[in-house]
Amino acid sequence: MIAITLRHVPSTLLIAAMMARAAAAEIDFDRDVRPILATHCTACHGGVKKTGGISFLSREAAVVEGESGSAAIVPGDPDGSELVRRVSSGDEAERMPPPDHGRGLTPAEVEVLRAWIADGAAWQSHWSFDPPRDPPLPGVPDATWPQVPFDAFVAARLATEGLRPSSAATPHHWLRRVTLDLVGLPPSVEDYEAFLADGGGSGEVAVAALAREHVVD
C-alpha cells in the first residue's frame, strides 16, 4: 500500500479543492475574510493610511468610491468590485498588493473574497467588541443525564462516537477524588462519615460541590 501525502497531490488539485470548499461553505467574515484583508490590505488601506481613498477597517469605508472612481467592494457584485479586480489582475502594475509589498493572494484566497462579496459582503465587528453569548445546547439522547449545560456537549460528543456516559460516581468516589486532588492523601473513615452526615448522599452535582467544600474546610 502506498501512503498518499500532500506531496503526491498536484498543487492545481489542491487549489481547486480549496476553491470548491470556499464556494460551497458559508463564508464567515472573522474566520475567512478578515485574515486575508489584515495580511494583504490593511497595511496600506487602513488606519491612518487610506491609499487611494480606500480603507478596509470598516464596511462603510470599503464600499465607497475610491480615487479610481470605483468602489473597492460592491456587495453582491464581485466582478464590479475593484478589490477583486485588483487582487486577481495579471498586470503587475495594477495587481494588489504590489510585488514589493509581499506575495499576492492565492487563487483560493481570491475565491473566498469573491464568494463573500457575492453573498453580500457581510461585515462583523472584531470579536473582542462582541459580548459573550451562550451557544445553543446540542440535543442529547438522554435529556436527564446532563446536570450542568456543559454536560450536554459531552453527551453529544459521546453519542457521535457511539459511547454512553459512565455511571454516576458514588459519594465515596467524589470525596476520594477531591481529597487526593487537594490534600494528596485518601480520606479517612472519619472524613467519609462526616461527609455523609453533612449531606453527601444527595444528587451528583450537590455531592461534587459538597465534597470540595468539605475538603477545603
Side-chain angles (χ1 to χ4, degrees), residues 197-215:
D198 287 340
S202 60
E204 188 174 3
V205 174
V207 169
L210 184 59
R212 289 191 295 270
E213 180 181 340
H214 182 81
V215 177

Side-chain angles (χ1 to χ4, degrees), residues 167-184:
S167 300
T170 64
H172 169 74
H173 284 120
W174 272 116
L175 183 62
R176 179 179 173 84
R177 291 173 184 172
V178 175
T179 305
L180 286 172
D181 284 344
L182 297 179
V183 180

Side-chain angles (χ1 to χ4, degrees), residues 137-156 165 204-205:
L137 298 181
V140 295
D142 181 7
T144 64
W145 184 80
Q147 300 292 311
V148 294
F150 180 77
D151 289 347
F153 295 94
V154 175
E204 188 174 3
V205 174

Side-chain angles (χ1 to χ4, degrees), residues 3-117:
I4 298 177
T5 67
L6 292 180
R7 292 179 300 171
H8 299 104
V9 181
S11 59
T12 52
L13 294 181
L14 288 176
I15 292 173
M18 293 173 67
M19 293 172 66
R21 178 181 178 276
E26 181 179 351
I27 301 297
D28 180 85
F29 178 79
D30 269 340
R31 182 192 64 212
D32 305 312
V33 179
R34 191 190 297 276
I36 297 175
L37 299 179
T39 300
H40 299 285
C41 307
T42 54
C44 295
H45 301 283
V48 296
K49 289 186 177 181
K50 294 180 63 175
T51 305
I54 296 297
S55 172
F56 291 110
L57 288 190
S58 70
R59 190 177 192 272
E60 293 73 17
V63 299
V64 299
E65 289 187 0
E67 294 175 4
S68 67
S70 302
I73 295 173
V74 180
D77 184 11
D79 291 326
S81 299
E82 186 73 359
L83 170 63
V84 173
R85 189 184 75 81
R86 297 296 287 271
V87 298
S88 58
S89 175
D91 185 348
E92 287 192 358
E94 283 200 332
R95 188 171 61 243
M96 292 292 166
D100 59 348
H101 281 62
R103 70 169 179 86
L105 275 68
T106 65
E109 289 173 326
V110 173
E111 189 60 30
V112 167
L113 294 180
R114 289 186 62 88
W116 169 63
I117 294 174

